[in-house]
Structure formats: C-alpha cells, structure tokens
Amino acid sequence: MRRWMPSPALSAGLLLMWLLLNQSLEPAHWLMGVFLGIVAPLLARPLQPQGYARIRKPLALFRLLGLSLIEIVRSCLNVGQIILFRRSEGVNSQFIRVPLDLRDPHGLALLSCLINTTPGTVWAEIIPDRHELLLHIFDLQEEQWWIDTIKNNYERPIIEVFESGVPAGRKEGA
Amino acid sequence: MTTGTLLAAAAGFALACVILAMILCALRLMIGPTAQDRVLALDTLWMCSMLLSLVLGIGHGSQIYFEAALLIALIGFVSTVALAKFLMRGEVIE
Amino acid sequence: MMNVADTLPWWAALPVAFLLILGGVITVTGAAGLLRLKNFYQRIHGPAITVTLGAGCFLIASMIYFTVLQSRLVIHELLISVFVLMTAPVVAMMIMRAAIYRDRRSRDLTKLAGEREEV
C-alpha cells in the first residue's frame, strides 16, 4: 500500500483538484482523477529528497489553520488602517530575531507560509549556526509579545502536528 | 431598484477600484528606485489583473473568465519567482 | 451588462454586492500602501492585504453569485484560493531574500570602495 501510494493525502488532493477543475462527477472524470492521484505522486517522488510529509495529527493541523485564518483577517484590518491613516515615518518597521526549536523541514515550510500569509510579518531568513529566525515586522510595538505569539500560537502546534512521534528530549540531545 | 442594478453598481465600483489599484502599481513600477521595488510592483500588478478578470466574470455573468484568472495566477507566480531568482543570482550591469 | 442577474434573490445579491465593495476598497488600500510607504521593507507589507483579504472577498463573492445563479454548487474558485494562498508567501519570501542579498552586497561594495580610496 505504502509503496504504490506514498502519500494518501496528496492523492486525495489531486483527485479533488481534478473533479473541481472539470466541475462534474461523471465516472470518466473519477477514473482520470484516480489515475492522476496514483501516478503523479510516484513520478514526483524522486524530486523530493526529504520524502513526503507525515502528518501525525490532522485535527491539530485544521485547528491551527482555522486560528491563523482569524489572525490573517485581524492583521489585514490592522495593516489597512496603518496604511490609510498613519504617516509613514511614525511606523516602527524593524527586524527581530526569534529563536526556534522546530527542526522538521516540512514544519518549517508550513511555519514560513503561515507567517508570510499574515500581513504585517515577512520571513527573511534562518540564521544557520544559531537556528534563529530573522523576521520583519511592519509595526513593532513590543518585541517580546511577537516572540511569545509565534512560539506559542504557531510553533508549538506545528511541532505537535509533525514531530509528536519523537520525544522532545532525545531530539535536543542528538 | 432590482437586484440586477444593485449588482451592476457593485461590480462597476469594484472594477473601478481594481483599475485604480493597477494604476498605482504601474506608477510604483515606473518610479520604483530599486529593482526589487519594480519586481514587487509587477507581482502586485499580476494579482490585480487576476482580480480584474474575476470581477469581469461576475459583471458579465460568465464563467469563461475563471480559466483566464487561473492562468494569470499561474503565470504570475512563475514569472515573479524567476525575476526574484534573477535578482539574487544574475549579474545585472548597474 | 446585467440582465441575467435580475433573477437573483435579494438574500444572495446583498452579500455579493457587499463583498465586491469591500474587496475593491481593500485592493485599493494595498496598492496605495505600495505607492505611499517610504522604504522597500515597509512597502512589501502593502500588497499582502490585497493578496489575502482582497482576493478572498472577490473569490467568495464569485462562489456565492454563480452557485445561486445556476442553482448548482460552483466552487471551483477554491482552486484559485488554494493556489494563491500557497504561492503568495513563497513570492514574498523570494523578493525579501533578494532585497536583503542586494542590500548587503551593495553595502559591502561601498565599504570596499571606501577602503580602497583610503589606501
């Protein structure tokens, strides 16, 4: 099973995409979608040196996505207000550094997507030797608040989703 | 007043807004002091043209515009990534 | 240009009109931020609201409109939403990294030129 379908979630996503694109539920489209869902992950497998992501807790993932959707709408309104009503010199835009515990590459990709989609924050880079994240904040009021928000609201759920199989202590020691 | 006139007015307003946004992006594209400003403005221009196509679709009540919007989103992403990569790696005579 | 829409009931027309107006205002706000803010690192935050909330409003309006108009489920706009939500962060990160790289390099070059003049 695992050999012929390395990532069931990706296959289901491809099938759904094909049905949406054709806007019909006819058997022919189901057949083509299933074919696509089986063949495309197998062909794309050599392109991914890390392998496909293993999502351990789908419910936690959906909760995280829902919460960050609310956060996106809230900070959209904030940024819009700043653009319309405040002078550009009064806005305190700065880089801050956030120390990260997350190591899983898929988790880091998800974290960067969530942070970049939220208006007002842009991911700049990870400083390799200390594993710190360099982040640009549009309107910085309090540095510690941002660091706490990212660590508690984003990083901890992502660690839970991707890394819950490995005890945290052993990973630190390795 | 029917629902048709209400929707026509709303779609016209949205159309005017998107076109105004495209003009603002084009201004930044022309005056932008650095190359990264211009790439950012071009990316926003792609996004605005995708929105323009969606609003036109609602305005005319036709679904043909959906495919155009999907294609514009795809090409915009690829071209912006290529330009950003070029800014990092390519040698431009400055 | 709107003859087909007269058949639309009011409970669907009102949210669609509201979302269209809201999306238009947000789109203009994002582009205004792109033009009005002072330096590049502030400007990169302007288009983010156009891409997320502006596009979101238009896409939801389109879904409601066509679903009610054709009385069947038309949700293929979800494809555009998912695609935009997946690619916009990547684009922002690439442009940001390019900008940082170029700023660092031009700073290094001016420092180098200054040292050469002192020697």
Side-chain angles (χ1 to χ4, degrees), chain C residues 1-38:
Chain C
M1 63 191 196
M2 257 333 210
N3 316 337
V4 276
D6 278 337
T7 57
L8 212 65
W10 278 100
W11 57 263
L14 281 177
V16 171
F18 173 73
L19 282 173
L20 278 175
I21 292 171
L22 187 67
V25 171
I26 289 171
T27 307
V28 167
T29 309
L34 185 68
L35 191 65
R36 162 167 189 275
L37 295 171
K38 281 290 177 289

Side-chain angles (χ1 to χ4, degrees), chain B residues 3-92:
Chain B
T3 53
T5 49
L6 171 74
L7 275 178
F13 176 79
L15 208 59
C17 281
V18 173
I19 290 175
L20 179 63
M22 288 177 84
I23 293 174
L24 296 179
C25 292
L27 281 177
R28 175 51 74 192
L29 185 65
M30 282 186 280
I31 61 176
T34 58
Q36 53 263 36
D37 279 308
R38 290 173 211 266
V39 174
L40 185 63
L42 193 66
D43 180 55
T44 317
L45 204 56
W46 276 111
M47 193 50 77
C48 285
S49 57
M50 189 204 88
L51 295 180
L52 184 76
S53 155
L54 275 179
V55 175
L56 279 177
I58 297 180
H60 290 282
S62 145
Q63 286 203 43
I64 306 286
Y65 291 92
F66 164 78
E67 263 96 54
L70 191 60
L71 281 181
I72 291 174
L74 281 167
I75 302 172
F77 168 66
V78 173
S79 70
T80 311
V81 167
L83 277 174
K85 206 74 191 163
F86 179 69
L87 287 191
M88 282 181 80
R89 295 272 175 245
E91 278 296 322
V92 192

Side-chain angles (χ1 to χ4, degrees), chain A residues 61 64-65 68-69 72 108-119 121 153-154 158, chain C residues 85 89:
Chain A
L61 181 66
L64 172 70
L65 291 182
S68 39
L69 200 64
I72 286 171
L108 285 172
L110 180 60
L111 182 66
S112 75
C113 272
L114 289 180
I115 286 179
N116 269 340
T117 316
T118 311
T121 51
N153 293 2
Y154 290 100
I158 290 178
Chain C
L85 281 182

